[in-house]
Amino acid sequence: MTYIKTLPLSHAPRLPHISRWGSLAALALLGSGLAQAQGEAAQQLPTTPLTVGFQVVQAQVARTPEQRATGLMHRKSLAPNEGMLFVFEQPATQCFWMKNTLIPLSIAFLDDKGAVVNIADMQPQSLDSHCSKQPVRYALEVNQGWFAKRGVKPGFQVKGAPFGPQP
């Protein structure tokens, strides 16, 4: 949280003070308008192939807090073997919701080595939270039902560069 130190009114210059605050307000409004306009477009991130059983998922990789917050919002579709891998700095209980997400998704929460901890199905435009059952560093979102159709369950190993060398 950022705190702003303010001066007492007796120390503030009159017209420049108003202009400065007016300029700041205008910039804030412009910035929020740009953020809203940008937020309505689906983000495109670098991809990495992940091997899930005999299937390869081309997963966009969301590493920054901003990328993770946007996730798969505003997409109208997702190709059958596409997804998004969310990468967190350290293991923690991770929770996801589907605000502004237009397509039904399944999410697998993955430990440091890529083992599936738990899987949840998520409905579009929902504020319901779906959380990992234990601390995880990764989450993989794909089209809803993708994991179930392939028999992927907790304990299943996902392989790929983000999880380091595999035995």
Side-chain angles (χ1 to χ4, degrees), residues 18-19 31 36 51 53-54 67 79 83 86 89 97 104 119 121 124 129 139 161:
I18 293 169
S19 298
Q36 184 178 8
T51 304
F54 295 107
Q67 292 169 343
F86 296 81
E89 291 78 20
W97 64 356
I119 298 171
D121 287 336
S129 271

Side-chain angles (χ1 to χ4, degrees), residues 2-14:
T2 303
Y3 293 93
I4 299 172
K5 183 177 180 182
T6 57
L7 295 173
L9 287 178
S10 61
H11 289 85
R14 300 217 191 271

